[in-house]
Amino acid sequence: MRTTRGLKGKKAFVRSAVAMAAVGVLTLTAACTTGTSDDDATDANKFTTRDVTDGTTTFVLVENPDGGQTLSYAKDGPMELLEVEEDGNTLAFKDMNANGELDPYEDWRLEASDRAADLADDLTAEQISGLMLFSSHEGSPSDGLTDTQKTYLSESNLRAVLNAGSSDVEDNVTWVNEMQAYVETLTTSDAPYIPANFSSDPRNTATAADAGTVGSISLWPSNLGIAATFSTETAELYGRSISEEYRALGLTNALSPQIDLATDPRWLRDSGTLGEDPDLASELADALVTGYQSTYAEDGTNLGWGLDSVPTMIKHAPGDGSGEGGRESHTAAGKYAIAGDSIGDSLEVFAAASDSIGMMTDYSILLDTEGNSLGGGDSVGTAYDPETMAQIREQFDGVIVTDWGVLTGATDEGATMGMAWGAEDLTPAERYYQVLLNGTDMFGGVNDSTYILEAYNLWTEHYEAGEVDVDADTRWQQSGTRILTGYFAPGLFDSPFVDLDASVETVGAEATVEAGYQAQLDSVVMTKNDGVVSEATLEDWADKTVYIPHTYDTGHASSFGEGEYTEGPTLTVEAAEEFFAKVVTDTVEYDADGKVTSITAPDLSDVDIALVGMRSPSAGAVFSNSGLDQTTGTYYPLSLQYRPYTADGEYVRKVSIGGDVLADGTQENRSYFGATGTVSNEADLDAFERTVSAVDASGKDIPVVALIKASNPVVPTEFEADADAVLVGFGVSDKALIEVALGVSEAQGRLPIGFPASMDAVEAQDEGVAGDTETYVDSAGNDWKFGFGLNFSGPIAD
């Protein structure tokens, strides 16, 4: 295998062009000193330096004059500075390959893509193969730099690290700085410096227990909640605020936003989408990417890329979300997606966000309504499908990453998470080769480059046989350039270290926490109001009593173990206590295992209002093979109602569209016709009905308000008629839901996805078509369709 790069003619041309552009350069000298300190600076036109420490790692922070790039490097590391005289200024640059010269990729004055191309030209196949790696989940920043991490950084050249740990500021900053200092020590004349690039899945969605407090990370609605605001300004602010907190935690890449179109109301990841409408989703996706990837002046002016910017990874490729029966492709039960005749609507949303540095593909095997591969070839997951990937590449020229586990077959030796759907019969090297051939650049959850290097050899063989048009070095360099652009654009090469003191001030800053909470309030949707929700103040409720019933959830077993049994009040008592003088709830009895055996409502004679929290009917979880009974091998329906649902209606398929090819050549039938589906939180409806009964028994006119904590749409027929008001929150805190329900804040949200009229209506819709579900019309004649929502005055105008 070749281990050195070619294209030196191109390198000479690029450097010549840079030299001609930098006519004002007077000197170019290596500097191992600290330059000019802040205390003794006499020349305002010269860069300054100061030492910064987090208690574990000390680094040098360099400020260039006239708004030039901020630099940082380990104080005791091998990095040196280069000084350049330009237009009367003395500028500092990092000598990242220790050659004493200012190479184009070291020059922060150049475009990120030009710097990336220059460095990619310097790297070997082994080094670029390391850049193609995206680590498995690192869940414990408090452990600091581990030997395992040192191994994959030094031996596999991995640099993209997935931080799946907490948001503790000190733990994250000290870990990040320790790793950045370590990778500096790996720099040699043959191995140019490449910083670590820390990524994160979304971590700012509000929870029932915490509405966001100053000093902790800010909390916002889910993506579906952002969509409920119908506000591109809110979406951009969301991206901006999160990116600033991410950078303060040392995170320089976001594995988000998820911008899949919600084409099926049952899909287990609908909460992460921007709703069912392609136009709204497109506008919001563009705004989110802009917010994440920009840096802003204090007056709100968008300055473009900067040290507060975080490159995004839009996901999960057009067409995802259409799993047959609403099932999810993380597991074999949901690997077939009925995308329909095309992925046009979904592709429109991704095209609107094409400025994103990156995109993540999905797991799904996309089929048309006849069961044929949407790409026209073999039935394989998106990353393996040449036609589908070609459509994506026509719209998107950034870095493309596979989702975690896409390169592993379920039956591979030692596999713990294998989702190479349709490509299980390929060898690992063949899978990597095929995915690279289709235009992918990085491999999620892979810490070792062995198979990538084997794919390099395969590519060379195919090139020499005339089967591919470009040689392996050129193809690897293409990926290297795309990957490195995501490092250079946010200034990661120049300033990888994080100032702990500044981070403490940034993460959970009062203004950011307040903005997140305001977005939660703005996203709450009121779908029913029989006059009980009206404008009020905190004082109006301060002497009142609220009843909140008890519930429980049996949980879902998954790839990671048995389901978790949970129980408690349907709304957080601590949140309610911020509004009411007294909170009453049920009397609960338990068995020896702590599981609920009986619940009795109290006397409500002194109660002023009843608030019932109801989560969306929970039919499964992402890793739970939901929809498949693994004991019997039979399929069951995913339900959006609380009581058991038997799928025997006229629209239920008797023969599934997707299915594996069996040993006898026939296709597996995954139909669930006649089967019954249940949900783990049926007790939420019990809690509502118990509340209604208790109110009736009190003889008082106590308002009953249902607060739906939605991750999916709900079929409202089981509770709407008995509720005096219904409000819906998408990934918001209980505090925000309660505040809007009491009229302290006016409801402003609108439904980003319609709520179905019935499960028959759900069965009648097509999984891959957005907005084709018959929606629910309530007792007041209001249609709970996309865009519907009430405020104090009535329906909110479009």
Side-chain angles (χ1 to χ4, degrees):
M1 185 189 70
R2 294 164 59 189
T3 59
T4 58
R5 307 289 297 167
L7 305 175
K8 293 304 179 184
K10 177 182 177 183
K11 168 72 76 174
F13 172 79
V14 171
R15 286 185 168 148
S16 175
V18 171
M20 292 179 65
V23 175
V25 173
L26 300 178
T27 62
L28 184 64
T29 60
C32 209
T33 67
T34 58
T36 305
S37 71
D38 288 339
D39 294 333
D40 61 9
T42 58
D43 185 356
N45 297 323
K46 186 172 184 179
F47 69 88
T48 63
T49 67
R50 63 184 175 91
D51 292 349
V52 180
T53 185
D54 59 24
T56 300
T57 302
T58 300
F59 61 93
V60 179
L61 192 68
V62 183
E63 298 288 356
N64 274 297
D66 286 348
Q69 182 68 293
T70 298
L71 311 178
S72 61
Y73 59 94
K75 180 177 176 61
D76 297 325
M79 191 72 68
E80 298 184 353
L81 290 181
L82 302 168
E83 295 186 14
V84 175
E85 299 292 335
E86 181 182 70
D87 297 333
N89 292 324
T90 302
L91 307 179
F93 300 82
K94 290 162 65 172
D95 188 5
M96 301 181 195
N97 59 3
N99 69 352
E101 299 178 3
L102 181 62
D103 296 294
Y105 76 87
E106 297 168 333
D107 190 342
W108 44 259
R109 298 167 297 184
L110 300 181
E111 291 293 326
S113 56
D114 293 334
R115 297 177 72 183
D118 181 69
L119 178 55
D121 188 33
D122 269 350
L123 300 180
T124 67
E126 290 92 343
Q127 290 161 345
I128 292 179
S129 295
L131 288 175
M132 292 176 172
L133 300 171
F134 217 128
S135 85
S136 54
H137 295 63
E138 293 287 359
S140 187
S142 62
D143 290 344
L145 182 64
T146 66
D147 289 340
T148 298
Q149 293 160 9
K150 288 181 179 179
T151 297
Y152 64 54
L153 292 165
S154 63
E155 297 182 10
S156 293
N157 300 302
L158 182 151
R159 290 297 184 271
V161 180
L162 175 52
N163 181 347
S166 76
S167 296
D168 181 89
V169 177
E170 184 171 359
D171 286 347
N172 279 278
V173 169
T174 53
W175 178 45
V176 166
N177 287 341
E178 189 178 7
M179 187 177 291
Q180 298 294 12
Y182 175 73
V183 296
E184 278 190 7
T185 68
L186 303 178
T187 304
T188 68
S189 58
D190 295 323
Y193 163 72
I194 299 175
N197 189 1
F198 291 86
S199 300
S200 176
D201 278 309
R203 58 175 63 211
N204 289 73
T205 301
T207 65
D210 188 358
T213 56
V214 174
S216 63
I217 196 166
S218 64
L219 298 175
W220 298 70
S222 67
N223 274 12
L224 206 52
I226 294 295
T229 69
F230 279 65
S231 168
T232 55
E233 291 80 7
T234 298
E236 184 173 347
L237 178 60
Y238 169 81
R240 170 187 174 179
S241 302
I242 290 174
S243 68
E244 291 172 355
E245 290 191 317
Y246 272 25
R247 290 304 295 262
L249 293 171
L251 299 167
T252 44
N253 181 259
L255 297 184
S256 56
Q258 181 185 339
I259 62 172
D260 304 303
L261 200 57
T263 57
D264 189 296
R266 297 165 294 188
W267 189 43
L268 296 173
R269 303 196 72 177
D270 272 343
S271 64
T273 73
L274 293 172
E276 69 177 30
D277 183 73
D279 293 334
L280 176 64
S282 295
E283 293 175 3
L284 295 175
D286 178 46
L288 283 169
V289 169
T290 297
Y292 272 104
Q293 295 192 161
S294 301
T295 291
Y296 295 80
E298 289 187 8
D299 65 0
T301 301
N302 187 333
L303 303 176
W305 286 104
L307 296 184
D308 286 336
S309 304
V310 172
T312 55
M313 193 75 66
I314 53 176
K315 59 185 185 182
H316 297 87
D320 202 25
S322 56
E324 186 164 16
R327 297 187 291 269
E328 162 53 33
S329 59
H330 272 76
T331 58
K335 63 183 174 181
Y336 294 105
I338 315 305
D341 296 330
S342 73
I343 55 173
D345 283 346
S346 294
L347 196 60
E348 175 186 327
V349 180
F350 278 80
S354 60
D355 285 341
S356 175
I357 283 287
M359 175 190 294
M360 184 186 294
T361 60
D362 59 353
Y363 302 110
S364 300
I365 298 173
L366 301 182
L367 305 177
D368 63 22
T369 55
E370 301 299 318
N372 302 309
S373 169
L374 200 62
D378 295 333
S379 294
V380 291
T382 296
Y384 296 97
D385 189 331
E387 180 60 32
T388 300
M389 288 300 298
Q391 290 185 60
I392 292 172
R393 268 294 177 210
E394 287 175 5
Q395 300 281 352
F396 186 74
D397 59 6
V399 60
I400 293 181
V401 182
T402 69
D403 209 334
W404 273 233
V406 166
L407 277 299
T408 304
T411 59
D412 287 3
E413 183 178 354
T416 57
M417 190 171 74
M419 286 84 94
W421 307 136
E424 292 91 345
D425 291 340
L426 298 179
T427 67
E430 289 170 338
R431 291 181 200 141
Y432 282 82
Y433 169 78
Q434 184 61 53
V435 169
L436 283 161
L437 187 65
N438 291 344
T440 296
D441 304 295
M442 296 182 73
F443 308 101
V446 182
N447 289 9
D448 185 284
S449 59
T450 299
Y451 293 136
I452 303 176
L453 294 171
E454 290 182 11
Y456 177 96
N457 291 334
L458 273 179
W459 192 291
T460 300
E461 292 173 11
H462 286 286
Y463 175 72
E464 292 174 349
E467 297 171 2
V468 291
D469 295 332
V470 298
D471 63 90
D473 279 340
T474 301
R475 175 63 187 88
W476 260 239
Q477 185 184 16
Q478 290 172 349
S479 285
T481 299
R482 288 194 283 252
I483 295 165
L484 289 169
T485 298
Y487 286 56
F488 282 109
L492 179 57
F493 268 84
D494 303 311
S495 192
F497 290 86
V498 185
D499 185 334
L500 177 59
D501 291 340
S503 294
V504 169
E505 295 296 320
T506 299
V507 176
E510 183 176 1
T512 308
V513 169
E514 290 178 353
Y517 185 64
Q518 187 61 52
Q520 293 181 51
L521 295 173
D522 292 346
S523 71
V524 174
V525 182
M526 184 159 60
T527 53
K528 182 179 181 178
N529 183 17
D530 283 350
V532 301
V533 181
S534 58
E535 187 173 3
T537 65
L538 289 172
E539 289 74 19
D540 293 331
W541 294 100
D543 61 348
K544 301 295 190 296
T545 298
V546 63
Y547 166 60
I548 298 174
H550 207 88
T551 189
Y552 61 90
D553 189 321
T554 58
H556 300 278
S558 73
S559 304
F560 305 109
E562 294 299 316
E564 181 183 6
Y565 183 95
T566 58
E567 55 86 24
T570 62
L571 295 164
T572 309
V573 170
E574 291 77 10
E577 288 174 339
E578 296 190 40
F579 299 93
F580 296 98
K582 185 177 182 180
V583 179
V584 298
T585 187
D586 299 318
T587 299
V588 184
E589 295 183 2
Y590 303 90
D591 64 15
D593 296 323
K595 295 183 178 180
V596 173
T597 57
S598 71
I599 303 176
T600 305
D603 180 359
L604 302 188
S605 299
D606 296 326
V607 166
D608 298 289
I609 189 170
L611 300 179
V612 186
M614 302 174 69
R615 293 154 295 169
S616 295
S618 180
V622 170
F623 286 97
S624 65
N625 257 305
S626 301
L628 172 64
D629 185 325
Q630 296 186 78
T631 301
T632 64
T634 59
Y635 285 80
Y636 59 85
L638 302 184
S639 178
L640 298 180
Q641 66 183 42
Y642 292 96
R643 299 303 183 206
Y645 161 63
T646 299
D648 55 5
E650 63 176 306
Y651 299 110
V652 181
R653 296 185 188 118
K654 294 182 173 65
V655 177
S656 64
I657 294 175
D660 293 341
V661 176
L662 303 177
D664 62 3
T666 62
Q667 179 176 296
E668 170 197 24
N669 184 10
R670 297 185 167 203
S671 169
Y672 49 75
F673 182 81
T676 298
T678 60
V679 300
S680 64
N681 62 324
E682 184 181 352
D684 284 6
L685 183 59
D686 294 338
F688 178 83
E689 293 179 347
R690 187 167 61 254
T691 300
V692 172
S693 297
V695 167
D696 289 343
S698 74
K700 292 182 60 180
D701 187 17
I702 302 171
V704 176
V705 181
L707 303 182
I708 309 301
K709 297 187 272 191
S711 52
N712 289 83
V714 181
V715 175
T717 52
E718 296 170 308
F719 61 88
E720 178 271 320
D722 290 326
D724 295 298
V726 179
L727 293 95
V728 183
F730 299 96
V732 305
S733 63
D734 284 2
K735 179 181 176 182
L737 266 174
I738 294 170
E739 182 167 329
V740 178
L742 299 183
V744 177
S745 290
E746 185 173 14
Q748 299 184 45
R750 293 187 282 155
L751 291 177
I753 183 172
F755 277 35
S758 63
M759 282 307 298
D760 282 342
V762 173
E763 300 289 3
Q765 59 90 40
D766 291 328
E767 289 95 336
V769 179
D772 65 337
T773 305
E774 177 191 356
T775 47
Y776 179 76
V777 178
D778 65 21
S779 52
N782 289 317
D783 189 343
W784 296 22
K785 63 182 180 180
F786 168 82
F788 171 67
L790 302 170
N791 57 21
F792 294 147
S793 302
I796 300 172
D798 291 341

